[in-house]
Amino acid sequence: LELKRMSVSREHRGRGLARALCREVLGFARARGFGAVVLSTSMVQVAAQRLYEGQGFRKVGASYPSLLGTLLNFQIFQYRCDLGDGT
């Protein structure tokens, strides 16, 4: 399952909503038999990286989104959370 574009508006950040949303996605995927959840985030999204790593995701790759990204050394990180069998 791919998690795409999760975001919490600035005025609601710091309340644990993103953590709760992430847990909900992982539970949803696990309940439906998915083996893993994958996502991508940019190198500048440090808070997002910390959130995902705290939820059990691990960085599995990095890439440049374009030639300009390569020239600017701007990377996109790929993350994966293996779900196991839920036991």
Side-chain angles (χ1 to χ4, degrees):
L1 181 80
E2 183 177 10
L3 174 57
K4 293 260 307 175
R5 302 200 190 277
M6 185 174 75
S7 179
V8 173
S9 63
R10 289 194 191 281
E11 63 268 16
H12 297 292
R13 291 181 188 168
R15 299 179 186 177
L17 295 173
R19 195 169 32 257
L21 285 168
C22 193
R23 280 194 306 265
E24 188 67 26
V25 168
L26 294 173
F28 176 91
R30 190 175 282 116
R32 285 156 182 79
F34 288 93
V37 176
V38 297
L39 62 87
S40 299
T41 192
S42 75
M43 63 186 287
V44 299
Q45 299 294 327
V46 177
Q49 292 171 45
R50 275 189 253 141
L51 167 73
Y52 298 133
E53 290 168 3
Q55 295 296 306
F57 284 83
R58 59 183 167 71
K59 193 183 301 181
V60 295
S63 60
Y64 295 100
S66 63
L67 177 58
L68 180 60
T70 302
L71 294 172
L72 296 174
N73 195 33
F74 181 83
Q75 292 184 307
I76 301 296
F77 298 140
Q78 291 82 40
Y79 280 87
R80 178 183 178 100
C81 182
D82 291 311
L83 300 176
D85 62 6
T87 60

